[in-house]
Amino acid sequence: MIVVQKQLINSQIKSPQVFLIDHENNNRGLIDTYEALQLAQSVELDLVVVSQSKDTPVAKILNYGKLQYQKKKRQGQSARPTVKEVRFRPNVGAADYNLRIEQALQWLSKGDSVKFAIRLRGRENQYREQAGLMLERIVTDLSQVGKVQSLDKRSLIVQIMPA
């Protein structure tokens, strides 16, 4: 769930004076709240408290709807899941291996972490050492763009996060 923190705007500001930053990012200094409201209305924007201090709050003239939209968008981007999983078998072909490494490189460059798991079935358990070597090969192939978050040779899983 995305929560946008409530800010004081326009007539909700009860402080008699505010430090004003106008719509062109000029510092207007200490000014009466009523005057600041008049100035904001003259340019058809909102007076928004950006920093609540003990004595006088800092207020800025801006488009409040646009500010809320940008905050919501930023929170939505940071909330997305970022772990991608790639599964291998110990006898994977060179072309398939390279394709999955390229895909992992793309994911890591976008900021996602990648989890590699090697699955062994039946008689493949005889080749556990080869699977461990494959994990190390994955780590070395991705060492330029990522760093190892966890490496578990027992369960044959490595998790790599962006560097």
Side-chain angles (χ1 to χ4, degrees):
M1 190 171 103
I2 297 171
V3 178
V4 178
Q5 200 172 27
K6 201 71 175 154
Q7 288 179 307
L8 296 176
I9 60 168
N10 298 333
S11 60
Q12 295 174 348
I13 302 170
K14 300 299 179 202
S15 173
Q17 292 183 322
V18 292
F19 282 110
L20 181 67
I21 300 168
D22 66 9
H23 57 287
E24 296 165 346
N25 277 343
N26 297 325
N27 189 350
R28 293 282 186 97
L30 195 62
I31 190 170
D32 288 337
T33 305
Y34 181 75
E35 282 181 52
L37 269 169
Q38 296 298 320
L39 192 63
Q41 287 171 353
S42 69
V43 290
E44 296 180 2
L45 292 171
D46 300 305
L47 184 67
V48 181
V49 173
V50 289
S51 175
Q52 189 74 43
S53 62
K54 291 178 185 175
D55 304 327
T56 53
V58 177
K60 190 170 184 177
I61 296 176
L62 46 80
N63 185 340
Y64 184 64
K66 189 175 179 181
L67 177 75
Q68 278 197 312
Y69 171 76
Q70 287 172 340
K71 265 189 182 177
K72 199 172 186 179
K73 191 173 172 185
R74 259 185 266 128
Q75 281 184 328
Q77 285 176 345
S78 65
R80 69 185 182 99
T82 60
V83 178
K84 308 282 187 179
E85 186 169 348
V86 178
R87 292 184 183 161
F88 280 123
R89 298 283 303 279
N91 55 354
V92 67
D96 287 335
Y97 175 84
N98 291 334
L99 181 75
R100 293 197 179 130
I101 291 296
E102 289 298 319
Q103 201 171 35
L105 284 168
Q106 288 176 357
W107 288 334
L108 287 167
S109 65
K110 285 182 184 172
D112 297 332
S113 30
V114 184
K115 178 180 175 183
F116 288 92
I118 300 177
R119 300 280 177 237
L120 301 176
R121 293 192 201 153
R123 287 187 180 176
E124 289 175 349
N125 277 308
Q126 297 172 7
Y127 304 106
R128 245 183 140 61
E129 300 86 36
Q130 282 181 318
L133 292 173
M134 183 186 270
L135 281 180
E136 289 174 7
R137 183 173 152 206
I138 290 168
V139 169
T140 55
D141 287 349
L142 296 175
S143 62
Q144 293 87 20
V145 292
K147 58 185 176 201
V148 177
Q149 187 174 356
S150 64
L151 174 63
D152 187 1
K153 282 197 175 182
R154 199 154 176 231
S155 56
L156 299 173
I157 293 174
V158 64
Q159 189 159 352
I160 299 175
M161 57 189 279

